[in-house]
Amino acid sequence: MSDGRARETRVDCHVKVLNDAVVERGKAAGLDAIVYAPHFTRLPEIQRRAARYSSEDLLVFPAREVFTGSWRERKHVLAIGLEEPVPDFIPLETAMAEFERQGAAVLVPHPEFATVSLAEADLRAYGDVVDAVEIFNSKHLPSHNRRARELAETLGYPPFTSSYAHLPSSVGVAYTAFETAIETEADLVSALEDGVARRVVHHNGGRRWRTMARELVHLGYENTWEKVDRLFLSGIEPTHPHHIAYDGRFDDVSVY
């Protein structure tokens, strides 16, 4: 827990990259924990990597940001506390049912952003499954963040924020400070599911805008060459429902 706040735990609730630089950046930012949820990586690998980098100084919790739906209309959902793998490219309702069955905490990153997010109708439909909505994302313009906050407040969802870091330098630019001790993955799941009181903290000055610029450049790379490589050059996605790792469990619901 952070010094000076006996029962506060500072968590960057969503980062995409994990290495020594990320750990050092997290410690320098005063974080107690980060949630590691890389794209297109199966849960066992995420768990192994999180365990490797986790320590008393900075806890690392594994998670999955599942890409539901097709490439054209995909909706991202962040699940913390999964015990069994859930693939990408399955219907939203299937993913939500799996999260609920496994007792995972369900978070909504960047709501209503482009074609990759849950819309207001989705948030209304899954009010009994979703545990928190992201109200600040460092990649977004102020208008996007205002809309996200409006949705959370109107629909009565607890908020969260994260750096959504794809680059080590972004870690800690935004975090959620929970008013409770969080020492394990189960503690974090409980805090989210129980709606524990929290503060949403983020930078607003030059660092925030520099972070946004660097992350948007990286996003451009992700959605051009890296996407082509994944779709056409690297074979089947590791998290595709037809991958052998899922033993055919999701073959009948795969969207492509």
Side-chain angles (χ1 to χ4, degrees), residues 167-181:
L167 302 169
S169 59
S170 302
V171 172
V173 72
Y175 62 86
T176 307
F178 294 91
E179 294 183 12
T180 190

Side-chain angles (χ1 to χ4, degrees), residues 29-129:
L31 299 177
D32 300 296
I34 62 175
V35 175
Y36 175 54
H39 294 307
F40 307 113
T41 306
R42 289 194 297 273
L43 182 63
E45 175 59 26
I46 296 171
Q47 292 170 327
R48 284 192 293 269
R49 193 166 181 82
R52 173 185 170 190
Y53 282 95
S54 189
S55 70
E56 291 185 359
D57 294 327
L58 184 72
L59 300 170
V60 182
F61 300 129
R64 275 275 286 132
E65 185 184 29
V66 175
F67 282 28
T68 71
S70 67
W71 274 109
R72 288 185 177 276
E73 295 184 1
R74 59 195 188 276
K75 296 177 183 288
H76 298 186
V77 188
L78 180 64
I80 304 173
L82 290 172
E83 296 182 354
E84 302 172 21
V86 178
D88 297 312
F89 314 121
I90 59 177
L92 177 61
E93 57 267 28
T94 303
M96 290 297 205
E98 270 295 303
F99 300 154
E100 190 170 26
R101 182 183 70 82
Q102 295 189 41
V106 178
L107 279 63
V108 176
H110 47 72
E112 287 200 347
F113 180 70
T115 60
V116 296
S117 311
L118 267 65
E120 180 176 353
D122 301 314
L123 292 173
R124 291 185 181 277
Y126 292 100
D128 58 339
V129 181

Side-chain angles (χ1 to χ4, degrees), residues 69-213:
S70 67
W71 274 109
R72 288 185 177 276
E73 295 184 1
R74 59 195 188 276
K75 296 177 183 288
H76 298 186
V77 188
L78 180 64
I80 304 173
L82 290 172
E83 296 182 354
E84 302 172 21
V86 178
D88 297 312
F89 314 121
I90 59 177
L92 177 61
E93 57 267 28
T94 303
M96 290 297 205
E98 270 295 303
F99 300 154
E100 190 170 26
R101 182 183 70 82
Q102 295 189 41
V106 178
L107 279 63
V108 176
H110 47 72
E112 287 200 347
F113 180 70
T115 60
V116 296
S117 311
L118 267 65
E120 180 176 353
D122 301 314
L123 292 173
R124 291 185 181 277
Y126 292 100
D128 58 339
V129 181
V130 172
D131 296 299
V133 170
E134 186 176 52
I135 66 169
F136 177 88
N137 186 301
S138 60
K139 281 185 178 179
H140 291 180
L141 294 171
S143 59
H144 296 141
N145 288 324
R146 283 195 298 271
R147 175 56 178 159
R149 182 183 294 272
E150 176 186 275
L151 283 169
E153 291 177 350
T154 299
L155 301 178
Y157 282 112
F160 81 96
T161 189
S162 70
S163 66
Y164 203 51
H166 291 63
L167 302 169
S169 59
S170 302
V171 172
V173 72
Y175 62 86
T176 307
F178 294 91
E179 294 183 12
T180 190
I182 294 175
E183 299 177 353
T184 66
E185 181 182 0
D187 289 342
L188 178 57
V189 170
S190 294
L192 290 163
E193 291 183 337
D194 295 342
V196 164
R198 68 203 65 176
R199 297 185 302 129
V200 168
V201 182
H202 57 83
H203 289 265
N204 277 321
R207 185 184 173 202
R208 180 261 199 273
W209 294 106
R210 289 192 298 273
T211 298
M212 178 181 177

